[in-house]
Structures are given as C-alpha cells and as structure tokens.
DNA sequence: TGCATTAAAGATATTTTTGTCCTTAATTGT
DNA sequence: ACAATTAAGGACAAAAATATCTTTAATGCA
C-alpha cells in the first residue's frame, strides 16, 4: 500500500509526536531505534519531511527533530503525500494514464470508492491522536522488550 | 496499490475474458497490444497466471491463452493474490512484523477497515463482469484510436 | 576561538522490480 | 517427418527503491 519510505516516515513522525514536550528534540539515533528502521535511511526520510515542513529540525549540540505547534496538528495524509505523492489517491487502479470518468478502466468506480475511503481516513486521522495512543501504551511501533 | 505486474495481469485477464468465445485463443502478441503492456513482460506474467491456474494456455499453431469454464468465474482477488500475494490484505499498514490485535500499530484498526473494504470489493468483483463491461464499450484498457 | 555534536547533503552500494532477449518444448498442418 | 507457430523458461539488462558511507554545514559550549 505505502512504500517502505512512507511507512518509516509515518512511524517516525508518530514517535516524535509521542515524545513531544516543549523544547525536547529527538536525534536520528533515538528515532531510528524507536521505530526499528535503518539509521541512515531514516535520516534521509527525515530530511525530506523537514524540507516539506512536516517537521522541524535543528543542527548542533542539543539539536534534533521536533514538531512545532502547527506541525503537531498535521494529518496522516500530509506525510503520505510528502513521501509517496498523490498518485495513490488520484491514479488509476490499473495504471492507465488516460483513465477518467469519460474513458474509465473496468474497475474505475469500484476502485474510486476504496481510494476515497482511504483518503478520508488519512485526512481525518491526526498525528497527535496517534502519538497519544502510542504514549499511552495502547499501540506499539517496535517489538516490546521483556 | 498494486504492483505493475499485477496491473498488467488484471488488464490481461479482463481482456482475455472480454474476447472469450468457445475455442478462441489469444496470442501474447494480441494481448500485449490490447492492454498496452510490454510484450515479453506480459508473457512472463501470463506464465505465472497459467501456473496458478488463473488461465489456460496451449502451445503451437492456433495456440494461445483462454479461460475455461471455471476460470471464467474467478474473482479479481484471485489474480491479485496470484501476483502480489496476500500481504496487501494481511500485512501491517506500517510494515511492522509483530503487529497484531494484542500489539497493534497506531493505525491498526483504521487500516484494517480500509483493507477489508478493498478485500471485499475484490472478492465480489468477477472477471466476467469486467470483461463484459469492456466488450460493451463501457470501459477501456487502452487509449482509444480515432 | 576551537571543539564536540548533530542534521544536511552527496556519493555509492545493494536489492527488488520491471523489462528484454534467446533458446527450448509443444502443437498443428503439410 | 518436417517446417511453422506459439507458449515456457532461463539468462541478462535497466530502472527504481532501499540502504550505507563519507563529507559538509550549523550550533552550542568550554
């Protein structure tokens, strides 16, 4: 469904949100361990998210990644679009370039319904809500250690 | 959503179904042109579908691909599972290996709803139905020529 | 100022997916 | 039997996605 990059991105942002207290910034080290993703690849993805203003970063001692007030209120769809683009929500289910209402592919309508469902869910779900769920121990991002 | 291979597979099977008359067999040549997919890659995919009994084939003069009685009644999900596997319907939305009801990822329930929607649609949609729609000109698989 | 720390950026490597080509095997018609 | 045709299968190539490594730039602290 989502690319590996996008999965890591979502996991990272949720984790950052869950650890967000004013002023606290998380290092790549901490983030990649928390979400069990490859360190350097995680760094690349955080770079992209930062460029797309999905999150904020600061270099140097005591630097790291964090969400500012506005970023804390972003929705899942903002992350997905920043990493995987809008194709998932606009592209044809069978990969046809010319697929449209007037020249629909055989699964056009049925696929559109699914896609709209997915889009709606991603638009309605906030990062904050998922971060809290993680913080409360109601969900996990990595194997629980004994 | 689906891999390129899977998109080609679905397009190919729908086309074969749409041209299915008793005894008629379609060549790779005809199929790949009808669905605007690379010839040799299409051949590979048809091989896999044939091995998985999604369609039938015959070598030699007047050979080609066709759907037998039973295969004509298959559902979309049969093609998707043969090519992309069941991961789309069973895997975690965030790619976590250990995600489950007892250790759910943050989007577990919301994602499951979407996934079940998709699965239901694929289980309910028959190849035959899509083939007829194509045959009737109510849908297309390639750019219409003037 | 200089050093330690941390993210950004660029270069490279590996793996997977997608795509192509060539040889082999099966089938049919002559 | 033989030639023509068509799918099957194996080998190879190219492109894209994923992953790693190294250098550079920014920041804070002594």
């Amino acid at each position: 469904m989502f690319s590996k990059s996008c999965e890591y991105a979502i996991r990272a942002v949720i984790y950052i949100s869950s650890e967000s207290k004013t002023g606290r910034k998380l290092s790549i080290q901490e983030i990649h361990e928390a979400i069990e993703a490859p360190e350097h690849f995680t760094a690349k993805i955080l770079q992209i998210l930062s460029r797309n203003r999905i999150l904020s970063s600061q270099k140097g001692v005591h630097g790291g990644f964090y969400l500012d007030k506005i970023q804390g209120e972003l929705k899942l769809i903002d992350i997905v679009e920043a990493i995987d683009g809008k194709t998932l929500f606009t592209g044809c289910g069978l990969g046809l370039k010319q697929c449209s209402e007037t020249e629909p592919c055989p699964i056009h309508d049925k696929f559109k319904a699914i896609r709209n469902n997915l889009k709606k869910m991603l638009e309605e779900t906030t990062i904050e809500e998922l971060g809290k769920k993680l913080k409360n121990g109601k969900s996990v991002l990595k194997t629980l250690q004994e």
Side-chain angles (χ1 to χ4, degrees), chain A residues 68-95:
Chain A
D68 68 21
K69 183 86 178 172
I70 293 164
Q71 291 161 342
E73 292 165 9
L74 289 179
K75 309 292 196 302
L76 265 188
I77 197 163
D78 298 309
I79 304 175
V80 174
E81 289 192 350
I83 303 294
D84 281 351
K86 290 176 197 264
T87 313
L88 189 57
F89 315 116
T90 60
C92 169
L94 298 184

Side-chain angles (χ1 to χ4, degrees), chain A residues 13 42-58 64-66 71 82-83:
Chain A
V13 177
T42 302
K44 287 293 179 204
I45 292 163
L46 291 172
Q47 265 177 45
I48 298 171
L49 291 173
S50 179
R51 267 189 237 120
N52 282 273
R53 319 251 176 220
I54 303 297
L55 45 72
S56 305
S57 68
Q58 190 176 34
F65 297 89
Y66 61 99
Q71 291 161 342
I83 303 294

Side-chain angles (χ1 to χ4, degrees), chain A residues 2-35:
Chain A
F2 306 123
S3 69
K4 218 107 199 53
S5 295
C6 192
E7 291 174 357
Y8 293 152
I10 295 172
R11 281 149 63 181
V13 177
I14 292 176
Y15 177 70
I16 295 170
S17 168
S18 81
E19 290 297 318
S20 245
K21 295 175 234 165
T22 329
R24 174 142 151 73
K25 302 192 185 82
L26 315 186
S27 68
I28 291 171
Q29 185 65 27
E30 173 177 354
I31 295 168
H32 101 262
E33 281 172 7
I35 67 173

Side-chain angles (χ1 to χ4, degrees), chain A residues 40-144:
Chain A
H40 297 286
F41 197 53
T42 302
K44 287 293 179 204
I45 292 163
L46 291 172
Q47 265 177 45
I48 298 171
L49 291 173
S50 179
R51 267 189 237 120
N52 282 273
R53 319 251 176 220
I54 303 297
L55 45 72
S56 305
S57 68
Q58 190 176 34
K59 291 183 187 175
V61 181
H62 304 140
F65 297 89
Y66 61 99
L67 303 176
D68 68 21
K69 183 86 178 172
I70 293 164
Q71 291 161 342
E73 292 165 9
L74 289 179
K75 309 292 196 302
L76 265 188
I77 197 163
D78 298 309
I79 304 175
V80 174
E81 289 192 350
I83 303 294
D84 281 351
K86 290 176 197 264
T87 313
L88 189 57
F89 315 116
T90 60
C92 169
L94 298 184
L96 302 181
K97 287 203 196 72
Q98 84 289 353
C99 180
S100 65
E101 297 299 324
T102 51
E103 276 184 63
C105 79
I107 65 169
H108 189 79
D109 291 335
K110 294 186 184 221
F111 193 76
K112 197 165 75 175
I114 303 293
R115 230 169 43 183
N116 287 346
N117 254 334
L118 172 63
K119 192 176 179 196
K120 186 153 171 285
M121 184 274 272
L122 296 175
E123 280 169 350
E124 287 172 352
T125 307
T126 67
I127 304 302
E128 196 187 7
E129 153 193 0
L130 301 175
K132 277 185 187 158
K133 210 192 269 185
L134 179 64
K135 191 71 179 174
N136 295 341
K138 300 219 179 71
S139 69
V140 301
L141 282 179
K142 57 179 286 192
T143 312
L144 299 171

